[in-house]
Amino acid sequence: MTERFEVKMMTMDLISRLVGIHQLFLFNLYPLLQRYLRPNQRDVTKILLYAAQSAHELIPPDVLEPLLMTLANNFVTESNSNDVMAVGINAIREVCARCPLVMSRDLLGDLARYKSSKDKSISMAARSLIALYRTVNPELLIRRQRGRPTAARAEHHALEYGASGAVDYIPGAEVIPRENKENREEDNDESWVSASDSEDDDGEWQNVHHSSDEEETADPTIPPNFMSVEEKIKMATDVSQNRILSQEDFLQIRAAQLAKLLAAAPRKAGGKKRKAAVSEDDVYDPNRRKELPSLGDVERIHKRPRHDKEARLATVKAGKEGREKFGQKKAKMNPYASTNNKQKEKRKAFMMIKHKVKQKVKRSFKEKQIALRDALLKKRLK
């Protein structure tokens, strides 16, 4: 690429978007991006964005692993500033959000240690990476970093490379109440109209035996919170296949899926109850991930912005409201009376009273010795 740098940036942006959206295989793109992944590179945050949006789940992890190691070695080092380290961890998180299998256990353990960093931007970036893998693949984290087990995490299983997570039911549909078979048959009887022209037909319908009536389904009397994963799948499959869901039903399913991210998973027999509180950093909703990452996701730095002069003056004036005025509390009996010598000295220039201030300074022990010696010598000469 011998074009201008701006043309190179637009070309990389276009190609990375096409690769990420259409899940194309262009393995030569990632070594090209690695050449520009340096903290002192011009517009490096945009190049980090291009690297993140060019990753997808169908890319083999071996192809993206050199790119991830370049990010970790060039950005997440103690020799760089705190902002550079935070941007590097954010870029690693965005790459791993689109291709989770590229992360190794050792690298994730090293990056997770920055959770206890004194700098808030680095700490929040590391917490967001931990929250991502708590949802995607908790097995890569050590036990104390996996967080509180939730119902959604108990139903989730990490996928291998090339595996598909497609299902034949609507996840979370078990919260929708099922229709009874009698009501369903009555609705079907009312909806059918006899089209027989035979006069010998008495007009009565005969119940036809279906093999699907013998299939084993979950007990509808059991609440979904107390069902096992297999029972929830069976009930969700039955609801998805036998009901036409409305918009209100989809909203109810969405609310139930979000509640699973916070609800604790059912404990095993003899298990100890964990009292750890759930914070916002412990919750990661995979459905909130957008098709392409934005530049704000990479440049997200948790730092208080600097105030300009107008904002500082407004803060100072707001702090003075309702406060007593500084100064002399006792007013003069006669406002036209003259001031005393102490008040006059405050208005004089320092050069006028410098000799008086110097006399008040206490002498050191050495100066007292010299003055005593001079006084004794002077007395002896007399």
Side-chain angles (χ1 to χ4, degrees), residues 223-262:
N225 297 335
F226 298 95
M227 291 183 180
S228 62
V229 178
E230 292 77 10
E231 292 176 346
K232 289 182 180 180
I233 293 176
K234 288 181 180 179
M235 189 170 182
T237 305
D238 182 70
V239 172
S240 303
Q241 294 177 355
N242 298 320
R243 281 200 58 174
I244 298 177
L245 302 181
S246 61
Q247 188 65 26
E248 290 76 10
D249 295 336
F250 282 108
L251 292 177
Q252 185 179 356
I253 292 173
R254 176 62 178 164
Q257 291 295 94
L258 292 177
K260 287 182 181 180
L261 298 174
L262 297 175

Side-chain angles (χ1 to χ4, degrees), residues 138-157:
E139 299 298 329
L140 292 181
L141 296 168
I142 59 178
R143 187 175 181 84
R144 67 171 179 269
Q145 291 177 349
R146 294 176 187 175
R148 183 182 180 184
T150 59
R153 201 173 301 169
E155 299 176 3
H156 177 76
H157 300 284

